[in-house]
Amino acid sequence: MAMVSGMQELEQLLGAVATGDMAAFRGLYDVAAGRLLAIAMKILRDRDAAEDAVQEAFLRIWRKAGSYEAARGSPLAWMSIIARNAALDNVRRRRPAEELEAVDVIDLAVQPVEPPDARLGQCLGRLPADQARAIVTMYTYGLSHVELAEQLSTPLGTVKSWVRRGTRSLKECMES
């Protein structure tokens, strides 16, 4: 039940942030900053860069709080995606995608990634391992299908099928 009340608290804070409530924004930061920093650290592997990405993420959250829709996912999942995108933007600014070494992505792909939403974690756990790994790697590290196929040393058509089938299964699981 604590998870539900925490989610409700985040939804209330986001609603207040959407109205320009600075106290709610501080509360939202206090509750979520550590989690968002962990996501940015996993992607960037540099504390200063991760802190910059989290700062950018919170600016985006401040500006977009009114666009959060509870029906589409938990507040933490929504904020985690914003933080992930801010970190990936930072990576792209720091070095072009073609410089991303295969060993970097492969190492990242085999490290367990804790999903931002418990239900998403359960649904990912129900997928075949190849589909789950492809989806998590692709979305966590911002890879295209082609880049993912190269990193996994798997034919492009196979990777596209894994992602398509896995995404469809995830959607069905999340909606049930």
Side-chain angles (χ1 to χ4, degrees):
M1 199 63 167
M3 181 66 147
V4 172
S5 66
M7 190 167 75
Q8 289 173 342
E9 176 189 7
L10 286 173
E11 287 177 1
Q12 291 171 351
L13 287 170
L14 271 174
V17 168
T19 67
D21 185 335
M22 284 300 294
F25 186 67
R26 278 190 289 279
L28 188 68
Y29 182 88
D30 291 343
V31 172
R35 178 61 177 255
L36 301 187
L37 181 60
I39 291 167
M41 283 289 295
K42 190 154 199 76
I43 294 169
L44 295 165
R45 298 188 213 166
D46 176 272
R47 178 111 186 157
D48 291 337
E51 288 174 354
D52 289 345
V54 170
Q55 180 179 358
E56 175 60 30
F58 273 102
L59 287 172
R60 293 176 187 180
I61 291 167
W62 172 259
R63 287 188 295 249
K64 296 179 179 183
S67 68
Y68 168 72
E69 296 176 31
R72 297 192 68 183
S74 76
L76 193 54
W78 182 77
M79 291 186 296
S80 295
I81 290 168
I82 292 173
R84 170 194 157 281
N85 290 343
L88 290 171
D89 289 347
N90 189 305
V91 167
R92 289 181 191 109
R93 281 192 302 270
R94 289 172 49 195
R95 61 182 178 170
E98 60 269 11
E99 291 181 21
L100 187 62
E101 295 179 23
V103 89
D104 290 342
V105 176
I106 290 169
D107 287 346
L108 292 172
V110 297
Q111 294 175 5
V113 175
E114 184 182 339
D117 182 279
R119 183 160 171 81
L120 177 59
Q122 292 170 350
C123 292
L124 277 169
R126 294 179 186 168
L127 292 178
D130 52 5
Q131 290 178 16
R133 180 176 180 209
I135 290 170
V136 169
T137 303
M138 182 177 188
Y139 288 102
T140 302
Y141 303 107
L143 301 178
S144 68
H145 285 101
V146 171
E147 292 167 329
L148 182 61
E150 289 173 5
Q151 300 309 323
L152 298 177
S153 300
T154 305
L156 178 60
T158 302
V159 167
K160 285 182 175 182
S161 294
W162 287 347
V163 171
R164 184 177 53 253
R165 285 192 313 255
T167 304
R168 187 179 323 122
S169 296
L170 277 178
K171 181 179 179 189
E172 290 169 5
C173 179
M174 294 294 287
E175 289 175 348
S176 64

